[in-house]
Amino acid sequence: MVASNSAVVLIVEDEPLIRFNILDVLEEVGHVALEAANADEALVVLKGRQDVDILFTDVNMAGSMDGLQLAKRVRAMRPNIGIIITSGMVRLDPMALPANTAFLPKPYMHDALISTINSLMT
């Protein structure tokens, strides 16, 4: 699968192997992939980069806040950014999420992630 249009995606995942795998997959299809191991690192990246189109975050991770708290903070900072929340531990009702936010339950197929990014970019 190829990205329909290129996006700058910030991947926030505390498991390095998962993070690197997603990074590779997104770059293969033409996206620019940035990475952070936790919410604190993600906020530093977002302060330095105004071109981030999509935040892709896991819910459960170490640090000062989890992925849901990060998503709320990012939504307040940047209302137009697309947000994808993923988790294998919790299930979120997609209908209860704010606009331009999607939930992708783990395990997910790479094609599902790419399709979700594409849908948030349109």
Side-chain angles (χ1 to χ4, degrees), residues 49-83:
R49 301 271 315 233
Q50 295 301 311
D51 61 342
V52 175
D53 299 304
I54 304 284
L55 171 74
F56 177 57
T57 183
D58 191 10
V59 172
N60 297 353
M61 59 186 159
S64 66
M65 66 183 89
D66 67 16
L68 293 173
Q69 293 165 315
L70 173 63
K72 288 177 186 173
R73 189 136 173 217
V74 169
R75 175 61 69 227
M77 290 170 37
R78 298 213 195 151
N80 296 327
I81 197 168
I83 298 174

Side-chain angles (χ1 to χ4, degrees), residues 3-4 7 11-12 32 34 37 39 47 53 59 63 68 70 73-74 83-84 91 94-95 97 112 114 116:
S4 60
I11 303 159
V12 188
V32 175
L34 309 173
K47 285 179 184 169
D53 299 304
V59 172
L68 293 173
L70 173 63
R73 189 136 173 217
V74 169
I83 298 174
I84 303 170
R91 295 284 182 243
M95 300 306 289
L97 298 174
I114 294 163
T116 303

Side-chain angles (χ1 to χ4, degrees), residues 103-120:
F103 177 68
L104 194 60
K106 288 181 180 179
Y108 52 83
M109 301 298 290
H110 292 147
D111 286 352
L113 173 57
I114 294 163
S115 294
T116 303
I117 291 169
N118 291 341
S119 71
L120 290 173

